[in-house]
Every structure is written in C-alpha cells, then in structure tokens.
Amino acid sequence: SNLAQAFQYILLNAIKALEDQSACLYLHVDEEHSSFPRNFWGTLVQPIGIRIDPATIKNSTTLSWDQLSEDMALQPNDKDTTSTIPFLHLEDIPRNDLKRTLLRRLWRPAKNIRHKACNRLDELMEHEKDYIAISLHHGGNKQHLKAELYIEKVEQVAKEHFDAGEIPLIFFATDQDCSLLDEFRKLKPSWRMVSEACSPPKTVWLTGYEKFFVE
C-alpha cells in the first residue's frame, strides 16, 4: 500500500505542476529514510525524466501527502471536472482520463520486472484477451464488502461489453484479503476467477514489490 500511495503522490504532484504550467516537478528519493529498496528507481522502475543537480534548484515548494490528498482541485468529487494542458495537446480532458494519460508516462517498470510481470499475467490469465478486473481494497476499513454487489456489477459490465453477456475470465486485485474471493467462488462456481494475491502457496518467484506490479 505504501508503494501505491507513493505513485499516487507523484501523480498528483505531476498534475499540479502541469496545470500550473510554469512549474517543474522535481522528484527527490531519500533512500536513507525510505522504506523502499535502495536504487528503487533504477531497480524496479525506470528513472523518470532527466537527472538534475539539487543545488541548481533555487525556488521550490514541497507539498505533503496531506496537502495533496485534501486538495479538492486535484481530487475533485465531480467526475465531470476537466483539465486543459496546451503543451501536451490535452484540452478539456476528464480528470480520470488525465490520470491514466500521465500514469502511462510516469509508470515505466524496469525491463526485467516488466518481463516477469507479463509472464506471470499470461500464466494467470491463461493468455485470455478478454477479462474483467476487480479491485478489492479494504485498507483500514474493516466493513465487510458484499460479494452480491460486485456480482451485479460484473453481470452489468458483461452485458454492455461482451457478446450475449457472457462472463469472461475475472482477475481479482486485492490487498491480501481473500475472503471476498472465496465468497464469490461459492456464489458463482461456474465463473473463472484468478488472483495473484490469492494464488495457492507455491515456490515464491516474486518479491512483495514485484507482486505489486502484477496486481
């Protein structure tokens, strides 16, 4: 979860810098005090942008996670909120689409990590091209999530996107809580469901961070 939050933090900073238009996003990784592995950006993720000497930065503002997470301009509740970034040729782009666009620029797994994750996904997904992905994340909320609500959503999505409403392979991304997946399988035994986090114990080939890339 720390890794996911870190990328969310970078993503929101990038959006703020781009919308300001006069700002440049500078990413400093404090490896001495970070819980991430050393040389994280070279080992698991390709370095982003260009290297710069911190001494050359004259004016900078550091935004905390709390400041970013509480900034409603960055995370508006209104799904119709749009952004315009002329030099990226993005005009009136919905906020979620903007996040996806920037994530493709920022999220660059290292070649060996990408190779491992893609091979694992091929194995899990049985080389299927069509699938529905479900994200199950409890976080600090212990409230029980009802499988029935997810089942209704899956059936609705299948009717809208797949021939005859056929249910394709379902991929579960989760924060290690597999109880809901177990409930799913009891309610819908005919559905094909896979999950990296809830896979049967076997030889560990991925570290915790590498498993994150598969999720």
Side-chain angles (χ1 to χ4, degrees):
S1 60
N2 288 340
L3 185 56
Q5 183 172 339
F7 273 104
Q8 172 81 332
Y9 178 67
I10 295 168
L11 186 59
L12 293 179
N13 265 298
I15 290 174
K16 193 168 186 67
L18 288 167
E19 290 185 332
D20 286 347
Q21 296 192 33
S22 61
C24 177
L25 173 64
Y26 170 64
L27 180 64
H28 171 67
V29 181
D30 184 355
E31 293 189 338
E32 290 187 9
H33 300 92
S34 174
S35 60
F36 296 159
R38 286 188 174 276
N39 195 23
F40 173 79
W41 293 106
T43 305
L44 297 181
V45 179
Q46 295 178 21
I48 298 169
I50 58 175
R51 292 187 178 276
I52 188 170
D53 182 356
T56 64
I57 300 176
K58 303 301 180 184
N59 299 302
S60 64
T61 300
T62 300
L63 298 176
S64 69
W65 169 251
D66 288 339
Q67 286 175 297
L68 286 171
S69 62
E70 294 171 3
D71 189 338
M72 287 299 99
L74 282 175
Q75 302 199 85
N77 292 324
D78 184 0
K79 294 183 179 179
D80 294 328
T81 298
T82 61
S83 296
T84 294
I85 304 175
F87 63 90
L88 289 182
H89 307 291
L90 300 174
E91 184 174 350
D92 294 330
I93 180 173
R95 180 51 59 105
N96 283 343
D97 289 344
L98 176 61
K99 284 185 176 183
R100 277 190 286 269
T101 298
L102 292 182
L103 198 57
R104 291 190 182 99
R105 291 170 177 256
L106 298 172
W107 181 259
R108 298 178 181 176
K111 185 176 180 179
N112 65 312
I113 299 298
R114 189 169 63 243
H115 180 71
K116 276 188 176 183
C118 288
N119 283 346
R120 177 58 178 156
L121 279 172
D122 277 345
E123 178 186 340
L124 274 173
M125 306 295 285
E126 303 169 9
H127 297 276
E128 289 279 354
K129 299 298 183 183
D130 293 331
Y131 66 92
I132 293 177
I134 297 179
S135 177
L136 306 174
H137 181 65
H138 283 274
N141 182 7
K142 299 301 182 182
Q143 181 180 359
H144 180 64
L145 299 175
K146 294 184 178 180
E148 289 85 352
L149 298 178
Y150 284 90
I151 288 174
E152 289 178 9
K153 187 65 176 178
V154 167
E155 291 173 338
Q156 177 186 340
V157 169
K159 288 179 182 178
E160 294 174 356
H161 296 281
F162 299 99
D163 293 339
E166 181 179 350
I167 306 296
L169 185 70
I170 299 174
F171 178 83
F172 281 85
T174 180
D175 56 351
Q176 305 296 329
D177 186 343
C178 301
S179 59
L180 194 63
L181 177 55
D182 293 338
E183 193 175 340
F184 249 100
R185 285 175 168 154
K186 289 178 182 177
L187 293 172
K188 293 292 183 179
S190 63
W191 288 9
R192 292 183 301 150
M193 307 174 199
V194 297
S195 172
E196 170 61 26
C198 301
S199 297
K202 58 181 180 180
T203 303
V204 177
W205 68 277
L206 292 174
T207 67
Y209 288 109
E210 290 168 340
K211 285 171 73 70
F212 173 83
F213 285 82
V214 176
E215 288 285 289

